[in-house]
Amino acid sequence: MQVTFGELKAFLEDHFPQGTAYGTLQELGDGWAEMKLEVDDGHLRPGGTVSGPVMMGLADVAMYAALLGKIGLVPLAVTTNFNINFMRKPAAHAAVWARATLLKVGRTMAVGEVSIYSTGMEEPVAHATMTYSIPPEKHRP
């Protein structure tokens, strides 16, 4: 692991404060991260469920955290592909949390998956796979 929990949390707060709209970092390990989002009325869609874009944002920020935890604070690592399957209706006012796991990290690309859960439910409510582009060393801070 290249970055500690505290270093990554501070980086996200300083350089990606809008990311907190999609959740807060809860745990970080070598190749994985967990984030949690406290759901409120602004996260719901008609019909009383957490909206898809909210869960997509949570998944994407969780994968970004897992990747930066592994490769270091590389701000220009960006999503190049994102696929999500919504499998169950999350509870309307229960927190949702995501566990991102890196499957492969190369020099220029990383692939991972994210499972999203609704508090109180055992089975995931959504599953995403993502590919991230990692900038070459010469373009890193």
Side-chain angles (χ1 to χ4, degrees):
M1 195 161 77
Q2 294 285 325
V3 177
T4 68
F5 177 88
E7 291 169 334
L8 183 56
K9 191 167 174 72
F11 173 83
L12 292 173
E13 289 169 0
D14 292 344
H15 298 283
F16 192 44
Q18 65 274 31
T20 59
Y22 302 106
T24 56
L25 186 64
Q26 300 294 302
E27 293 189 51
L28 181 67
D30 189 16
W32 62 272
E34 287 188 2
M35 297 196 67
K36 181 179 180 182
L37 176 67
E38 296 294 341
V39 174
D40 63 30
D41 288 341
H43 298 118
L44 303 179
R45 64 175 292 277
T49 188
V50 180
S51 77
V54 167
M55 288 188 280
M56 292 171 77
L58 174 64
D60 196 30
V61 176
M63 184 58 67
Y64 186 61
L67 181 59
L68 295 190
K70 181 77 173 176
I71 67 171
L73 301 176
V74 181
L76 287 177
V78 295
T79 310
T80 59
N81 187 53
F82 187 111
N83 181 63
I84 191 165
N85 293 295
F86 301 105
M87 302 182 296
R88 289 170 189 77
K89 179 181 175 182
H93 289 287
V96 289
W97 59 276
R99 181 173 176 106
T101 305
L102 297 170
L103 302 174
K104 179 176 183 353
V105 179
R107 284 185 315 101
T108 61
M109 300 293 275
V111 177
E113 66 179 350
V114 179
S115 293
I116 300 174
Y117 297 86
S118 181
T119 300
M121 298 174 73
E122 280 189 39
E123 298 293 323
V125 296
H127 179 263
T129 57
M130 281 170 254
T131 303
Y132 262 74
S133 175
I134 302 169
E137 292 280 340
K138 66 182 178 181
H139 295 292
R140 297 183 190 186

